[in-house]
Amino acid sequence: MKIPVARQLALLAAPLTFLVLLIGWLAFVSWREIRDLRSALTPAQLQSFRIADQLQARVRNLGSQLRKYEEGGSPEDWRSFEDESRRLDAWLKTQRSAVSTPGEKAIVSEINTVYESYLAAAREIAAGATPRFEVETAEERLVGLAPTLAEGHQ
């Protein structure tokens, strides 16, 4: 039994039409949800998320610089670490004025405390001690505090 070509095309067109309509509906619903989400987030909340993302990236970069120094031990690598830590410190100071809620301010204060202990442990490494655990703990704590900064706005 042979199915006519017109019927085969109709059988093929029906599911394709359904898929096109489904994709269109999903796109519409997705755009509506994105619009609602954007209207729900205030500019201050978006700023908090940006600060958190930048903090994570900067801390990871600083950790990378320190590991490079540990592997090679060259003075240039240590200077690079110090330069990066000064940039992070300056960036943190500018971010203190960017946060507005008491929750954010408390988290920024905690970030500064953990950052100071991170730098102290890094200096011990440069002096010949090996408190790698302290550095890793402080680095992970800093990275972990970044998302709480974004949540601290709520």
Side-chain angles (χ1 to χ4, degrees):
M1 171 165 112
K2 219 174 183 187
I3 301 175
V5 173
R7 187 167 167 98
Q8 288 178 355
L9 287 175
L11 289 172
L12 180 63
L16 288 177
T17 302
F18 173 75
L19 286 175
V20 167
L21 291 173
L22 180 64
I23 290 170
W25 178 76
L26 289 172
F28 171 74
V29 169
S30 297
W31 281 110
R32 188 176 62 202
E33 290 295 320
I34 289 171
R35 182 193 66 219
D36 292 346
L37 182 60
R38 281 189 180 160
S39 66
L41 290 174
T42 66
Q45 287 171 318
L46 290 173
Q47 178 67 14
S48 293
F49 283 116
R50 249 183 255 114
I51 291 170
D53 286 343
Q54 289 178 357
L55 176 61
Q56 284 181 329
R58 288 174 181 261
V59 168
R60 293 288 187 203
N61 187 29
L62 189 61
S64 175
Q65 294 289 334
L66 183 59
R67 281 185 284 286
K68 186 176 177 184
Y69 169 74
E70 285 180 297
E71 290 170 6
S74 75
E76 296 88 32
D77 290 337
W78 180 250
R79 278 193 294 279
S80 179
F81 171 81
E82 285 183 318
D83 291 343
E84 190 63 33
S85 67
R86 277 192 287 277
R87 281 192 289 275
L88 177 56
D89 193 44
W91 180 83
L92 283 170
K93 286 178 183 171
T94 62
Q95 300 315 306
R96 283 184 209 131
S97 62
V99 296
S100 57
T101 67
E104 290 173 317
K105 289 181 181 188
I107 293 168
V108 168
S109 176
E110 186 176 355
I111 286 170
N112 286 325
T113 302
V114 173
Y115 179 63
E116 291 302 322
S117 67
Y118 175 83
L119 288 179
R123 288 184 190 107
E124 287 181 32
I125 288 175
T130 56
R132 184 71 201 149
F133 176 75
E134 292 175 30
V135 171
E136 288 174 356
T137 303
E139 183 177 334
E140 289 307 313
R141 183 86 177 106
L142 283 168
V143 170
L145 283 170
T148 60
L149 179 60
E151 294 166 5
H153 186 82
Q154 300 169 352

